Amino acid sequence: MIPVRGYEGKRVAVLGLGRSGLAAAKALEAGGAEALCWDDGAEARERAEGQGLILHDLTRRDAFDDLAALIASPGIPHLYPETNRHIARAYEAGVPVDNDIGLFFRSFATPDWDEFETTPKVVAITGSNGKSTTSALIYHILSEAGRPTQLAGNIGRGVLDLDPAHDSEVVVLELSSYQTDLARALTPDIAVFTNLSPDHLDRHAGIGGYFAAKRRLFAEGGPDRAVIGVDEPEGLFLAGQLSEGPGDDRVIRVSVDRKLAGPGWHVFARKGFLSEYRKGRQVASIDLRPMKGLPGSHNHQNACAAFAACRALGLAPRQIEAALASFAGLPHRSQLVGEKGGVTFVNDSKATNVDSAAAALQAFERIRWIAGGLGKDGGIAALAPHLGHVAKAYLIGHSAREFALQLGDTPHEICETMERAVASAASEAEPGETVLLAPAAASFDQYADFEARGDDFTRLVRALTA
């Protein structure tokens, strides 16, 4: 646990008692604060009370008297589409509002660090797609290289559940826009921006607000190094804002669209080869094509970002290459779950929108595509340019018939259930083909979450391939 610093002897309210809220309350108490907890859900309040935490009814008239701060869980809206009523009262009372990410950055460094030979560092990763894989890749590379490391944030553990830092340790944080938008302190040593595509637009009042939330990671604390994906206009803009000139190697530009040129520090992938250039000269190259845990250009972008971050930490290219080759992939993200008779089965249940599904559809040559669920606005119409590799689609869930109408000439079958889709795709697949779950839809019509959907696919595949 990271004891929260700066609130000794003060009363701090915690709103939202899920994983991050409970961890924040305990970390505040460990740092000497009085944590006063509230959740509008009775079950969450009972769980917190059962863990010995103090409840504090924020609906009371005097609830915000003498509070030093209100710590809100990331899922609670603090501005758009409508400010949560408790947060609105905090604003009116002049009570500062923060989240667990802000508490972490104000508390992680301690006087003990003066005794360390090598100062611990924090690498923080944000973006629309690929941030989980990039975070896991960086953590994996560091672990394989023997560097002490911990993984937390939007993946793995809550940030305040981390252990206090060791000498030379690197903490890797995946941060969502919900987390970066509210945090009052954001001071990573290395910050990574993967890419940007429309998501969570209601929460941020449009794409501009969404980008602004992610930009805070770079603008608020001024990281020593920034790794920026420049394949979208927002990334180019961000790199330009942070750089003092073409040769400024504090900004490492990353691309999978084109070769990057100039005197600066660049990492890019073309035709499956990762290249690193510094001062106009190539200094490293890695063949990503044989790496089964990193299929497709979207994963090559993740590999470039992870490579750049680890190079900024001082790792050698050959160390990074060996770790990339041993990376098995994250569950539900282009995860290889089985092979039989020359047919490969891949679980990309996390592909819940058309952008991530498009990346998955471009990663394999010939695909038996399982798609569907609770469709989002526009369905899968935007995927029309990416259906060339699809031999046949097998449609499940609430939006199966809607998706069928948007497939044009692509052969398809309405299966409704995962069991029927897997059985049909497996029976028709030929050697060299990939049975790919990339739903392009939410899971809530049939499953509790995308993990449960991916687990069901994996279970069915392993029963077939055993």
Side-chain angles (χ1 to χ4, degrees), residues 279-331:
K279 299 179 180 179
R281 300 179 60 185
Q282 184 171 1
V283 295
S285 178
I286 296 174
D287 186 356
L288 299 173
R289 295 173 301 173
M291 299 182 181
K292 289 191 173 182
L294 296 166
S297 64
H298 61 306
N299 276 307
H300 293 173
Q301 183 183 55
N302 300 334
C304 286
F307 177 94
C310 290
R311 289 287 283 142
L313 289 167
L315 273 65
R318 296 285 78 86
Q319 285 179 293
I320 300 172
E321 180 177 13
L324 290 175
S326 64
F327 182 67
L330 280 180

Side-chain angles (χ1 to χ4, degrees), residues 252-269:
I252 308 175
R253 291 169 171 82
V254 168
S255 176
V256 289
D257 279 355
R258 62 196 183 281
K259 177 180 178 179
L260 299 176
W265 194 346
H266 308 298
V267 179
F268 57 88

Side-chain angles (χ1 to χ4, degrees), residues 22-367:
L22 292 173
K26 293 171 183 176
L28 282 161
E29 290 186 339
E34 182 182 6
L36 306 173
C37 303
W38 184 253
D39 193 296
D40 287 335
E43 185 177 337
R45 294 197 300 269
E46 290 173 10
R47 183 169 58 247
E49 198 168 26
Q51 296 183 26
L53 295 171
I54 301 170
L55 295 183
H56 180 75
D57 187 351
L58 291 179
T59 65
R60 286 169 35 194
R61 179 177 298 179
D62 61 349
F64 290 85
D65 292 353
D66 197 30
L67 288 183
L70 173 67
I71 308 304
S73 292
I76 300 174
H78 59 271
L79 185 56
Y80 303 114
E82 182 178 348
T83 306
N84 173 273
R85 58 177 177 151
H86 305 304
I87 294 178
R89 287 192 63 198
Y91 292 156
E92 291 169 2
V95 174
V97 181
D98 204 349
N99 63 14
D100 61 331
I101 304 301
L103 296 182
F104 168 82
F105 277 111
R106 71 180 288 163
S107 307
F108 186 52
T110 68
D112 297 342
W113 289 21
D114 293 339
E115 307 301 321
F116 292 166
E117 289 187 13
T118 304
T119 302
K121 294 187 180 298
V122 176
V123 180
I125 301 94
T126 195
S128 296
N129 298 309
K131 58 183 178 292
S132 294
T133 298
T134 301
S135 301
L137 260 177
I138 295 170
Y139 173 77
H140 175 75
I141 293 166
L142 291 168
S143 299
E144 292 294 297
R147 286 286 293 270
T149 183
Q150 299 184 75
L151 177 66
N154 209 39
I155 184 174
R157 303 159 73 180
V159 290
L160 295 172
D161 276 332
L162 289 170
D163 299 324
H166 298 291
D167 195 331
S168 77
E169 185 167 49
V170 179
V171 168
V172 182
L173 301 181
E174 179 196 339
L175 299 181
S176 72
S177 60
Y178 290 9
Q179 293 169 311
T180 58
D181 199 16
L182 187 60
R184 295 174 68 89
L186 287 167
T187 54
D189 298 281
I190 298 171
V192 180
F193 177 85
T194 58
N195 51 57
L196 196 84
S197 61
D199 207 357
H200 310 305
L201 299 189
D202 59 337
R203 177 67 181 265
H204 299 292
I207 189 71
Y210 177 51
F211 174 57
K214 294 188 176 296
R215 180 181 172 277
R216 291 190 76 244
L217 182 64
F218 303 83
E220 295 296 316
D224 295 335
R225 280 236 160 77
V227 177
I228 310 291
V230 295
D231 289 337
E232 291 87 30
E234 293 85 358
L236 276 173
F237 169 81
L238 184 58
Q241 276 208 319
L242 296 173
S243 175
E244 293 295 331
D248 187 353
D249 67 0
R250 294 174 303 168
V251 177
I252 308 175
R253 291 169 171 82
V254 168
S255 176
V256 289
D257 279 355
R258 62 196 183 281
K259 177 180 178 179
L260 299 176
W265 194 346
H266 308 298
V267 179
F268 57 88
R270 297 179 70 207
K271 299 181 180 180
F273 285 88
L274 180 154
S275 297
E276 177 188 8
Y277 274 70
R278 299 189 71 172
K279 299 179 180 179
R281 300 179 60 185
Q282 184 171 1
V283 295
S285 178
I286 296 174
D287 186 356
L288 299 173
R289 295 173 301 173
M291 299 182 181
K292 289 191 173 182
L294 296 166
S297 64
H298 61 306
N299 276 307
H300 293 173
Q301 183 183 55
N302 300 334
C304 286
F307 177 94
C310 290
R311 289 287 283 142
L313 289 167
L315 273 65
R318 296 285 78 86
Q319 285 179 293
I320 300 172
E321 180 177 13
L324 290 175
S326 64
F327 182 67
L330 280 180
H332 317 299
R333 298 164 176 86
S334 296
Q335 178 192 14
L336 176 63
V337 295
E339 293 180 279
K340 187 174 184 180
V343 176
T344 301
F345 295 82
V346 174
N347 166 24
D348 203 344
S349 184
K350 184 64 168 62
T352 58
N353 57 42
V354 293
D355 288 320
S356 50
L361 291 173
Q362 295 173 76
F364 306 97
E365 287 300 317
R366 190 163 171 83
I367 298 167

